Amino acid sequence: MGGLGRPPFAVSKPALADWLRTTLSSRGERVESMRAAVRGTRTQTRVIETDRRRLVVKMFATDDDFARREFDSYQTLARHAPGVIVPLVAMDRRAGYLLLEHRDGLDLFAALAVRDPIAVMHALGDGIASVIIDTAALPGSTGTAAEERDALIAKMPLLRDLFASARVALPAATYDSIAGLCNAVTASPTALTQGDPAPSNLLFTDDGVRLLDFEYGARRNALFDLAQWYVRIPLPLPWFDALSTRVRARVVAAGVFASDDDFDAAAVQMCRYASLYMLTWLPVTAVEERDRAWVGDWTVRKAFLSTLHRFIDASHAPEKAALQSLASAMQSRWPEVTRFEVDWDGLIQSRRS
C-alpha cells in the first residue's frame, strides 16, 4: 500500500491530556480521569471519564494508510451514516487522535450467547445494508480496491503451485475462469466497506449494531464485507442466509441493486473472490508437516478446508470439479481434520459460562 512506512505524526503533536482539555473545553466538558492505555497492533486506546460522559480515544502512532483509512471512514460515516458507528466526537488527523463516545454493548459471540441468532443476523444485516445504501452514491476513489485486485493477480501463481503440489489437474480454461475473480473487488456497485469485519469489530447495542475499526476501510465492491461472513468468518449457512437475505431486501428496495437476481449474482461472485483471496493468503505451505492453531480450535488446515468447501458451494462446473479434486487431495493429506467448520456452539457457550 502506498502510505505504509510513512513517518510518525508531527513532532509538535500535542500531549493527549492537553489535546483533550482543549477539545472538550469548547464543549463545556472537563476530563476527570483517564484509564491506562490498551495497546493494539498499530494503536493505543484509552477510556476517558468526563464530568458528563465516557469517551474513548484511539491514538495512532504512525501516519500511514491504516490511520488515513480510519479517519476517512469515520468522517464519511459520521456525515452520511452516523447510526452505524459509535458517535464521533472529534478527530485530529495531524495529531493522530480519534475521539468517540463510549457505548455499552456486546461483541458478536456475546450477542449470540443471549439473543436469537437470526435476530442477531438481521441486526448485522441492517448495519451492513445501511452503509451500502448511504455511501453507494457518494464519490470516492477505488484505489485501495484496485491495489488489492492487482495484489491478488500477482499471487495467482500460488494457486497453480497449490494444485501442482496436490497433484491435481488445473486446466488452463479453469485457471483463467478463477483468475477472472480478481476483478470482482472493483466491480460496481461500490460503497464504503469496513474491510476487516470480525466478531470483535461489532458492537450490538439496544438499538442495533455499531461497526468498529476502519483501519482497512475503503471503497470496494459493495458486498465485500458481506462475503467475509461467508468465507473468512464462516457463519453457519442458515445464519449467513438470514444475513444475506436481510441485506438483499434492503439494498434492492433502495435501488442499489436492480433486482434480487442481480444481488444474488453479485453476492456469489464476491463470495468466490473472498474464497480465492483466502486460499492464496492462508499459510498452507507452512502447515504441510504440522498444523497450527488460528482461532480457538480452528486451525489453519481447518480454515483452508472450510474456505475450499465454501468456494466449491459457490462455484459452477468446471471450477467446481477442479476444486472438489483439490479438496479430496488435501483431506487425504490431512486425515485428522474430520470437522473443519468453526465450532460456533463452543465459542458461544464459552461466553455463557
Side-chain angles (χ1 to χ4, degrees):
M1 307 296 287
L4 295 181
R6 285 204 292 261
F9 288 92
V11 176
S12 58
K13 170 179 180 173
L16 177 62
D18 294 336
W19 183 81
L20 286 169
R21 188 179 305 110
T22 300
T23 300
L24 294 175
S25 63
S26 63
R27 294 168 169 79
E29 290 182 76
R30 70 174 185 276
V31 176
E32 294 192 337
S33 65
M34 286 194 295
R35 296 186 189 174
V38 177
R39 296 182 182 275
T41 304
R42 286 173 291 273
T43 63
Q44 295 183 39
T45 58
R46 282 193 175 210
V47 175
I48 313 298
E49 299 282 356
T50 78
D51 57 339
R52 287 171 42 193
R53 54 184 171 170
R54 182 175 294 174
L55 304 173
V56 176
V57 62
K58 188 170 186 178
M59 301 166 280
F60 285 84
T62 305
D63 180 16
D64 58 17
D65 280 350
F66 297 107
R68 174 185 59 79
R69 286 191 290 259
E70 184 97 1
F71 287 120
D72 287 348
S73 297
Y74 269 104
Q75 188 170 53
T76 297
L77 292 170
R79 186 176 302 161
H80 300 283
V84 300
I85 57 171
V86 174
L88 174 66
V89 177
M91 65 167 61
D92 188 331
R93 289 172 177 263
R94 178 175 168 275
Y97 295 143
L98 183 68
L99 188 62
L100 306 164
E101 284 191 14
H102 181 278
R103 288 294 171 94
D104 292 323
L106 307 171
D107 69 12
L108 179 61
F109 294 127
L112 288 167
V114 297
R115 300 181 185 177
D116 174 67
I118 300 305
V120 172
M121 293 301 108
H122 286 171
L124 175 56
D126 286 339
I128 293 172
S130 292
V131 174
I132 294 171
I133 293 166
D134 293 336
T135 66
L138 298 177
S141 169
T142 56
T144 296
E147 290 181 12
E148 291 170 349
R149 175 201 61 205
D150 294 344
L152 184 54
I153 290 172
K155 293 173 70 173
M156 284 304 295
L158 294 176
L159 188 68
R160 287 189 190 276
D161 294 343
L162 183 59
F163 273 82
S165 69
R167 292 182 171 81
V168 174
L170 179 59
T174 304
Y175 173 85
D176 290 343
S177 175
I178 294 175
L181 297 172
C182 296
N183 294 312
V185 71
T186 57
S188 294
T190 63
L192 178 61
T193 57
Q194 191 176 16
D196 186 31
S200 60
N201 288 344
L202 303 174
L203 186 68
F204 289 86
T205 64
D206 292 337
D207 59 353
V209 68
R210 307 279 177 153
L211 307 183
L212 310 173
D213 193 348
F214 289 88
E215 293 175 18
Y216 291 87
R219 195 169 191 86
R220 304 176 176 91
N221 181 297
L223 301 184
F224 182 95
D225 288 346
L226 176 64
Q228 304 308 306
W229 295 104
Y230 178 76
V231 178
R232 190 163 64 86
I233 318 101
L235 296 170
L237 291 176
W239 298 1
F240 180 78
D241 183 61
L243 172 64
S244 182
T245 299
R246 186 73 162 205
V247 175
R248 179 179 63 198
R250 290 202 53 198
V251 298
V252 171
V256 178
F257 289 86
S259 67
D260 287 359
D261 288 344
D262 285 345
F263 175 92
D264 289 342
V268 167
Q269 195 77 337
M270 201 62 227
C271 286
R272 292 165 70 220
Y273 166 90
S275 300
L276 175 61
Y277 178 89
M278 278 286 284
L279 291 184
T280 60
W281 179 75
L282 284 167
V284 176
T285 55
V287 297
E288 285 286 0
E289 295 184 4
R290 183 178 180 183
D291 202 359
R292 75 181 194 202
W294 191 17
V295 179
D297 69 348
W298 205 48
T299 66
V300 173
R301 289 181 181 179
K302 289 181 179 181
F304 178 86
L305 289 172
S306 170
T307 297
L308 192 49
H309 279 273
R310 296 216 166 185
F311 199 175
I312 291 167
D313 289 344
S315 296
H316 303 287
E319 286 177 20
K320 186 183 289 286
L323 293 168
Q324 284 174 329
S325 295
L326 178 62
S328 295
M330 300 307 286
Q331 285 180 275
S332 296
R333 185 177 295 180
W334 303 329
E336 80 285 357
V337 183
T338 57
R339 183 178 186 274
F340 47 76
E341 293 291 355
V342 174
D343 181 13
W344 285 90
D345 290 340
L347 290 168
I348 293 168
Q349 186 59 40
S350 69
R351 292 304 181 97
R352 292 194 179 110
S353 58

mmCIF file of all heavy atoms in Angstrom, residues 69 72-74 76-77 128 131-132 135-136 190-194 214 217-222 225:
data_model
loop_
_atom_site.group_PDB
_atom_site.id
_atom_site.type_symbol
_atom_site.label_atom_id
_atom_site.label_comp_id
_atom_site.label_asym_id
_atom_site.label_seq_id
_atom_site.Cartn_x
_atom_site.Cartn_y
_atom_site.Cartn_z
ATOM 1 N N ARG A 69 -7.171 5.573 6.416
ATOM 2 C CA ARG A 69 -8.445 4.919 6.152
ATOM 3 C C ARG A 69 -9.398 5.057 7.335
ATOM 4 O O ARG A 69 -10.605 5.230 7.161
ATOM 5 C CB ARG A 69 -8.204 3.440 5.816
ATOM 6 C CG ARG A 69 -7.611 3.235 4.426
ATOM 7 C CD ARG A 69 -7.644 1.772 4.026
ATOM 8 N NE ARG A 69 -6.698 0.978 4.798
ATOM 9 C CZ ARG A 69 -5.511 0.586 4.349
ATOM 10 N NH1 ARG A 69 -5.120 0.919 3.123
ATOM 11 N NH2 ARG A 69 -4.724 -0.142 5.102
ATOM 12 N N ASP A 72 -10.670 8.747 7.303
ATOM 13 C CA ASP A 72 -11.557 8.961 6.160
ATOM 14 C C ASP A 72 -12.898 8.267 6.362
ATOM 15 O O ASP A 72 -13.965 8.831 6.057
ATOM 16 C CB ASP A 72 -10.909 8.454 4.871
ATOM 17 C CG ASP A 72 -9.786 9.343 4.368
ATOM 18 O OD1 ASP A 72 -9.651 10.472 4.886
ATOM 19 O OD2 ASP A 72 -9.034 8.908 3.464
ATOM 20 N N SER A 73 -12.855 7.030 6.854
ATOM 21 C CA SER A 73 -14.088 6.265 7.029
ATOM 22 C C SER A 73 -14.986 6.890 8.081
ATOM 23 O O SER A 73 -16.192 7.054 7.871
ATOM 24 C CB SER A 73 -13.755 4.822 7.408
ATOM 25 O OG SER A 73 -13.050 4.166 6.380
ATOM 26 N N TYR A 74 -14.413 7.255 9.231
ATOM 27 C CA TYR A 74 -15.232 7.864 10.285
ATOM 28 C C TYR A 74 -15.798 9.208 9.837
ATOM 29 O O TYR A 74 -16.947 9.541 10.144
ATOM 30 C CB TYR A 74 -14.427 8.021 11.576
ATOM 31 C CG TYR A 74 -14.557 6.828 12.491
ATOM 32 C CD1 TYR A 74 -13.529 5.900 12.604
ATOM 33 C CD2 TYR A 74 -15.718 6.610 13.224
ATOM 34 C CE1 TYR A 74 -13.644 4.789 13.428
ATOM 35 C CE2 TYR A 74 -15.846 5.512 14.052
ATOM 36 C CZ TYR A 74 -14.818 4.601 14.148
ATOM 37 O OH TYR A 74 -14.943 3.508 14.960
ATOM 38 N N THR A 76 -16.580 10.116 6.784
ATOM 39 C CA THR A 76 -17.666 9.848 5.835
ATOM 40 C C THR A 76 -18.901 9.319 6.549
ATOM 41 O O THR A 76 -20.032 9.783 6.303
ATOM 42 C CB THR A 76 -17.203 8.840 4.770
ATOM 43 O OG1 THR A 76 -16.127 9.403 4.026
ATOM 44 C CG2 THR A 76 -18.344 8.485 3.820
ATOM 45 N N LEU A 77 -18.718 8.353 7.431
ATOM 46 C CA LEU A 77 -19.865 7.739 8.091
ATOM 47 C C LEU A 77 -20.531 8.684 9.080
ATOM 48 O O LEU A 77 -21.750 8.666 9.243
ATOM 49 C CB LEU A 77 -19.432 6.452 8.779
ATOM 50 C CG LEU A 77 -19.017 5.324 7.813
ATOM 51 C CD1 LEU A 77 -18.383 4.174 8.574
ATOM 52 C CD2 LEU A 77 -20.208 4.842 6.994
ATOM 53 N N ILE A 128 -24.825 -3.543 7.780
ATOM 54 C CA ILE A 128 -24.119 -3.648 6.502
ATOM 55 C C ILE A 128 -24.906 -2.944 5.408
ATOM 56 O O ILE A 128 -24.348 -2.183 4.603
ATOM 57 C CB ILE A 128 -23.890 -5.125 6.142
ATOM 58 C CG1 ILE A 128 -22.914 -5.771 7.122
ATOM 59 C CG2 ILE A 128 -23.370 -5.266 4.716
ATOM 60 C CD1 ILE A 128 -22.771 -7.275 6.954
ATOM 61 N N VAL A 131 -24.739 0.981 5.537
ATOM 62 C CA VAL A 131 -23.503 1.543 4.996
ATOM 63 C C VAL A 131 -23.535 1.524 3.470
ATOM 64 O O VAL A 131 -23.161 2.500 2.810
ATOM 65 C CB VAL A 131 -22.272 0.769 5.519
ATOM 66 C CG1 VAL A 131 -21.009 1.264 4.835
ATOM 67 C CG2 VAL A 131 -22.149 0.919 7.023
ATOM 68 N N ILE A 132 -23.984 0.418 2.888
ATOM 69 C CA ILE A 132 -24.058 0.326 1.422
ATOM 70 C C ILE A 132 -24.994 1.389 0.868
ATOM 71 O O ILE A 132 -24.646 2.144 -0.053
ATOM 72 C CB ILE A 132 -24.528 -1.079 0.998
ATOM 73 C CG1 ILE A 132 -23.485 -2.135 1.368
ATOM 74 C CG2 ILE A 132 -24.811 -1.115 -0.507
ATOM 75 C CD1 ILE A 132 -23.969 -3.566 1.182
ATOM 76 N N THR A 135 -23.686 5.085 1.298
ATOM 77 C CA THR A 135 -22.415 5.505 0.690
ATOM 78 C C THR A 135 -22.261 5.100 -0.773
ATOM 79 O O THR A 135 -21.315 5.529 -1.417
ATOM 80 C CB THR A 135 -21.210 4.931 1.476
ATOM 81 O OG1 THR A 135 -21.188 3.500 1.368
ATOM 82 C CG2 THR A 135 -21.283 5.340 2.943
ATOM 83 N N ALA A 136 -23.176 4.288 -1.307
ATOM 84 C CA ALA A 136 -23.020 3.804 -2.680
ATOM 85 C C ALA A 136 -23.001 4.942 -3.693
ATOM 86 O O ALA A 136 -22.276 4.882 -4.699
ATOM 87 C CB ALA A 136 -24.128 2.810 -3.027
ATOM 88 N N THR A 190 -20.111 0.032 -6.014
ATOM 89 C CA THR A 190 -19.134 0.111 -4.940
ATOM 90 C C THR A 190 -19.704 0.940 -3.797
ATOM 91 O O THR A 190 -20.644 1.714 -3.979
ATOM 92 C CB THR A 190 -17.811 0.732 -5.418
ATOM 93 O OG1 THR A 190 -18.047 2.082 -5.840
ATOM 94 C CG2 THR A 190 -17.219 -0.078 -6.567
ATOM 95 N N ALA A 191 -19.130 0.758 -2.626
ATOM 96 C CA ALA A 191 -19.560 1.503 -1.443
ATOM 97 C C ALA A 191 -18.414 1.487 -0.449
ATOM 98 O O ALA A 191 -17.435 0.752 -0.615
ATOM 99 C CB ALA A 191 -20.812 0.877 -0.831
ATOM 100 N N LEU A 192 -18.531 2.294 0.583
ATOM 101 C CA LEU A 192 -17.553 2.239 1.658
ATOM 102 C C LEU A 192 -17.697 0.907 2.386
ATOM 103 O O LEU A 192 -18.819 0.491 2.717
ATOM 104 C CB LEU A 192 -17.770 3.390 2.642
ATOM 105 C CG LEU A 192 -16.833 3.431 3.856
ATOM 106 C CD1 LEU A 192 -15.386 3.580 3.424
ATOM 107 C CD2 LEU A 192 -17.222 4.550 4.798
ATOM 108 N N THR A 193 -16.609 0.214 2.607
ATOM 109 C CA THR A 193 -16.639 -1.072 3.292
ATOM 110 C C THR A 193 -15.712 -1.035 4.499
ATOM 111 O O THR A 193 -14.716 -0.319 4.506
ATOM 112 C CB THR A 193 -16.195 -2.209 2.350
ATOM 113 O OG1 THR A 193 -14.877 -1.917 1.851
ATOM 114 C CG2 THR A 193 -17.149 -2.349 1.177
ATOM 115 N N GLN A 194 -16.051 -1.821 5.508
ATOM 116 C CA GLN A 194 -15.229 -1.891 6.714
ATOM 117 C C GLN A 194 -13.884 -2.539 6.412
ATOM 118 O O GLN A 194 -12.866 -2.164 6.968
ATOM 119 C CB GLN A 194 -15.979 -2.671 7.790
ATOM 120 C CG GLN A 194 -15.368 -2.612 9.168
ATOM 121 C CD GLN A 194 -16.225 -3.343 10.192
ATOM 122 O OE1 GLN A 194 -17.107 -4.127 9.834
ATOM 123 N NE2 GLN A 194 -15.986 -3.098 11.463
ATOM 124 N N PHE A 214 -11.948 0.832 11.415
ATOM 125 C CA PHE A 214 -11.958 1.036 9.961
ATOM 126 C C PHE A 214 -10.543 1.232 9.423
ATOM 127 O O PHE A 214 -10.345 1.957 8.453
ATOM 128 C CB PHE A 214 -12.839 2.240 9.613
ATOM 129 C CG PHE A 214 -14.308 1.978 9.803
ATOM 130 C CD1 PHE A 214 -14.902 2.198 11.038
ATOM 131 C CD2 PHE A 214 -15.071 1.474 8.770
ATOM 132 C CE1 PHE A 214 -16.256 1.936 11.229
ATOM 133 C CE2 PHE A 214 -16.417 1.208 8.946
ATOM 134 C CZ PHE A 214 -17.015 1.440 10.179
ATOM 135 N N GLY A 217 -10.789 0.219 6.103
ATOM 136 C CA GLY A 217 -11.938 0.782 5.415
ATOM 137 C C GLY A 217 -11.558 1.403 4.080
ATOM 138 O O GLY A 217 -10.539 2.080 3.968
ATOM 139 N N ALA A 218 -12.355 1.140 3.063
ATOM 140 C CA ALA A 218 -12.096 1.693 1.731
ATOM 141 C C ALA A 218 -13.308 1.438 0.850
ATOM 142 O O ALA A 218 -14.206 0.661 1.200
ATOM 143 C CB ALA A 218 -10.856 1.056 1.099
ATOM 144 N N ARG A 219 -13.303 2.098 -0.293
ATOM 145 C CA ARG A 219 -14.371 1.883 -1.270
ATOM 146 C C ARG A 219 -14.028 0.656 -2.112
ATOM 147 O O ARG A 219 -12.998 0.600 -2.759
ATOM 148 C CB ARG A 219 -14.532 3.128 -2.154
ATOM 149 C CG ARG A 219 -15.825 3.131 -2.931
ATOM 150 C CD ARG A 219 -16.093 4.488 -3.579
ATOM 151 N NE ARG A 219 -17.448 4.526 -4.088
ATOM 152 C CZ ARG A 219 -18.513 4.861 -3.389
ATOM 153 N NH1 ARG A 219 -18.368 5.236 -2.125
ATOM 154 N NH2 ARG A 219 -19.723 4.849 -3.914
ATOM 155 N N ARG A 220 -14.921 -0.326 -2.081
ATOM 156 C CA ARG A 220 -14.756 -1.576 -2.805
ATOM 157 C C ARG A 220 -16.126 -2.019 -3.330
ATOM 158 O O ARG A 220 -17.117 -1.328 -3.149
ATOM 159 C CB ARG A 220 -14.225 -2.674 -1.868
ATOM 160 C CG ARG A 220 -12.916 -2.372 -1.143
ATOM 161 C CD ARG A 220 -12.607 -3.526 -0.207
ATOM 162 N NE ARG A 220 -11.323 -3.392 0.484
ATOM 163 C CZ ARG A 220 -11.165 -2.801 1.660
ATOM 164 N NH1 ARG A 220 -12.200 -2.248 2.276
ATOM 165 N NH2 ARG A 220 -9.967 -2.738 2.223
ATOM 166 N N ASN A 221 -16.147 -3.213 -3.926
ATOM 167 C CA ASN A 221 -17.416 -3.846 -4.248
ATOM 168 C C ASN A 221 -18.330 -3.746 -3.021
ATOM 169 O O ASN A 221 -17.918 -4.037 -1.892
ATOM 170 C CB ASN A 221 -17.153 -5.311 -4.603
ATOM 171 C CG ASN A 221 -18.410 -6.066 -4.992
ATOM 172 O OD1 ASN A 221 -19.325 -6.221 -4.196
ATOM 173 N ND2 ASN A 221 -18.446 -6.538 -6.220
ATOM 174 N N ALA A 222 -19.571 -3.349 -3.242
ATOM 175 C CA ALA A 222 -20.480 -3.073 -2.129
ATOM 176 C C ALA A 222 -20.723 -4.290 -1.235
ATOM 177 O O ALA A 222 -21.076 -4.131 -0.060
ATOM 178 C CB ALA A 222 -21.815 -2.567 -2.675
ATOM 179 N N ASP A 225 -17.890 -6.743 2.445
ATOM 180 C CA ASP A 225 -17.996 -7.129 3.851
ATOM 181 C C ASP A 225 -18.920 -8.322 4.030
ATOM 182 O O ASP A 225 -18.640 -9.227 4.835
ATOM 183 C CB ASP A 225 -18.488 -5.952 4.697
ATOM 184 C CG ASP A 225 -17.440 -4.870 4.875
ATOM 185 O OD1 ASP A 225 -16.251 -5.120 4.579
ATOM 186 O OD2 ASP A 225 -17.808 -3.760 5.304
#
